[in-house]
Amino acid sequence: MAPQDFIKGWPHPSLLEGEQLRADLLQSFKKSLDMSAESLNYGDEKGAYMLGHPLFLQTLADWLSKRYNAPVDPKTLMATGGASMGIDLACCKLCKPGDLAVVEEPTYYLSFTMIRDRGMDLLGVPIQEDGMDLDALEKLLKEKEGKIKLVYTVPIHHNPTGICMSDEKRKRLAALSQTYDFIIVADEAYQLLEWDPTGLKPMFYYDTPTNPKIVSVGTFSKIIGPGIKVGWVQAAESIVKQFPDVGFVDSGNNPVIWSSCNLIDFLQSGGMDRHLDAVRKELGEKCALLCKTLRDHGLEPMQPKGGYFVWVKSNGKMTGRSGEAMAIKKDKFHEYMRLCFAWLSREKIVEGLEVIKP
């Protein structure tokens, strides 16, 4: 049996070429051209679209409010070039070189680069079954008094473990940000990609409006396709207003005016809802297959309720991405594997796991 690629955190091509998806997107793209005087411009007579096209922001707010079952004010949103841009804006505008940032270990390993690129040093705390170890975090906050200015967390369908931070811990983390004066960047790329609903709302809803500290980051990359490159940040208006004041946005304006306008009708017409339902069903089934096959081979995977990945301790035989990459110093998790179930077909998932069969 040939080894298979469990490393790529990509959607399988079949999720991107469905007839219904193409038809719905084509209709949406055509309607975007009907407003080309705006969708192809920097703005209109009312001003530049620095935070995004107003109609897209309103449409996104309406759509998210239904999905979150919570109010979404368009003034708390900014359209971004995917989740990574949102994370980088938060690091750039809300922190400074020399600050300390805390992350879970393991975590999304490319966050290390984004944080370090902004001149910050990294500290790690463990992740537990219900999310970040907040006792360990508070210990660091006390030891590094006043120096920790950012906590980066993946609180929902965690990459790589699949863990969801509990409601209790979300409240405590938000309270700690008030006590110790740090920003929380919540990477919620998989918030809407779940087949076993958690009922958990984005971290934004745990913030203190009079002293906001939380930036929730979302994206369409995982629920439509990464080529879309449209995401958003959700934060208090006072925070969001700071984000256009960065060189490449100040000079070039919001980078996704055209791309985001292409999605307006897709969101309004129900096309996004139809596609999301299909993606959830497909990935839920593939996740279940991957976990069952791992158990058949004598392993004990952590079965997620959403996301793209399964985290499992190996039996000595490895495939996928080694867990060591998910540690700041690459000094732990060597015996763990992060396996993506989104990229491979069902047949390739089963075939690929033959290499770790006892």
Side-chain angles (χ1 to χ4, degrees):
M1 294 292 183
Q4 298 298 330
D5 189 353
F6 287 100
I7 291 179
K8 284 188 179 72
W10 300 4
H12 189 271
S14 63
L15 290 173
L16 309 177
E17 56 190 11
E19 290 185 10
Q20 185 67 59
L21 174 65
R22 287 175 171 176
D24 287 340
L25 285 176
L26 181 59
Q27 173 181 292
S28 195
F29 294 169
K30 287 179 177 178
K31 292 200 173 184
S32 178
L33 283 172
D34 291 341
M35 52 185 285
S36 59
E38 298 176 12
S39 61
L40 292 174
N41 212 334
Y42 288 122
D44 56 32
E45 66 277 1
K46 296 179 182 178
Y49 304 144
M50 303 301 286
L51 294 172
H53 192 286
L55 181 56
F56 171 73
L57 294 175
Q58 183 62 63
T59 301
L60 177 63
D62 292 343
W63 186 77
L64 289 176
S65 68
K66 294 175 184 176
R67 284 290 171 179
Y68 293 165
N69 193 28
V72 179
D73 185 340
K75 292 180 180 179
T76 65
L77 299 174
M78 177 181 179
T80 64
S84 296
M85 177 180 165
I87 295 166
D88 186 59
L89 285 174
C91 292
C92 174
K93 296 307 301 177
L94 305 178
C95 302
K96 66 182 186 302
D99 287 344
L100 295 178
V102 176
V103 301
E104 296 137 340
E105 286 189 296
T107 194
Y108 173 51
Y109 66 102
L110 293 177
S111 68
F112 303 156
T113 307
M114 289 188 282
I115 293 168
R116 286 170 173 151
D117 279 353
R118 292 302 178 180
M120 287 181 276
D121 293 323
L122 287 162
L123 299 171
V125 295
I127 189 168
Q128 299 169 316
E129 290 184 359
D130 58 349
M132 179 182 283
D133 183 339
L134 297 185
D135 289 337
L137 172 62
E138 188 160 19
K139 183 173 183 290
L140 282 178
L141 290 165
K142 290 176 179 178
E143 289 175 356
K144 307 292 183 180
E145 185 177 0
K147 295 181 180 180
I148 294 172
K149 293 300 182 183
L150 175 73
V151 170
Y152 167 86
T153 179
V154 186
I156 189 82
H157 310 308
H158 181 266
N159 177 1
T161 66
I163 288 169
C164 297
M165 186 183 291
S166 67
D167 182 69
E168 180 182 351
K169 279 198 169 179
R170 289 163 183 258
K171 291 174 181 175
R172 183 181 171 194
L173 178 58
L176 288 172
S177 75
Q178 296 292 318
T179 301
Y180 293 97
D181 189 26
F182 61 84
I183 294 294
I184 299 168
V185 174
D187 185 347
E188 295 163 344
Y190 303 101
Q191 176 76 38
L192 297 168
L193 188 55
E194 58 183 18
W195 40 90
D196 189 357
T198 64
L200 293 167
K201 290 181 172 59
M203 280 296 303
F204 166 80
Y205 293 98
Y206 294 81
D207 208 356
T208 301
T210 55
N211 187 32
K213 297 288 185 183
I214 300 177
V215 179
S216 280
V217 180
T219 182
F220 287 108
S221 292
K222 304 303 183 184
I223 56 177
I224 302 177
I228 286 286
K229 276 294 168 283
V230 176
W232 63 90
V233 292
Q234 184 181 16
E237 188 177 357
S238 60
I239 291 178
V240 169
K241 283 182 174 179
Q242 299 179 56
F243 291 154
D245 187 24
V246 62
F248 78 94
V249 178
D250 190 27
S251 173
N253 206 308
N254 190 286
V256 295
I257 296 170
W258 165 248
S259 301
S260 61
C261 285
N262 280 335
L263 298 179
I264 291 173
D265 181 74
F266 190 57
L267 292 169
Q268 293 176 339
S269 67
M272 180 69 254
D273 295 310
R274 283 190 293 272
H275 184 63
L276 181 54
D277 287 346
V279 172
R280 283 172 162 177
K281 181 177 184 296
E282 175 71 6
L283 294 190
E285 291 175 0
K286 289 169 75 171
C287 175
L289 174 64
L290 175 61
C291 290
K292 179 183 182 301
T293 307
L294 288 169
R295 287 192 290 267
D296 289 345
H297 293 341
L299 302 181
E300 298 179 1
M302 297 178 65
Q303 185 156 346
K305 297 180 178 180
Y308 262 31
F309 303 103
V310 167
W311 183 245
V312 62
K313 189 173 184 178
S314 77
N315 57 8
K317 299 179 179 179
M318 300 286 290
T319 189
R321 188 175 293 280
S322 170
E324 66 185 30
M326 285 71 174
I328 295 170
K329 297 180 180 179
K330 298 185 178 180
D331 58 350
K332 58 191 80 164
F333 312 122
H334 304 282
E335 72 276 31
Y336 280 85
M337 303 178 285
R338 189 194 75 167
L339 306 175
C340 178
F341 48 82
W343 171 244
L344 297 174
S345 67
R346 288 167 173 77
E347 294 75 22
K348 295 297 184 183
I349 287 173
V350 174
E351 178 183 327
L353 292 180
E354 287 291 314
V355 300
I356 61 171
K357 190 173 182 180

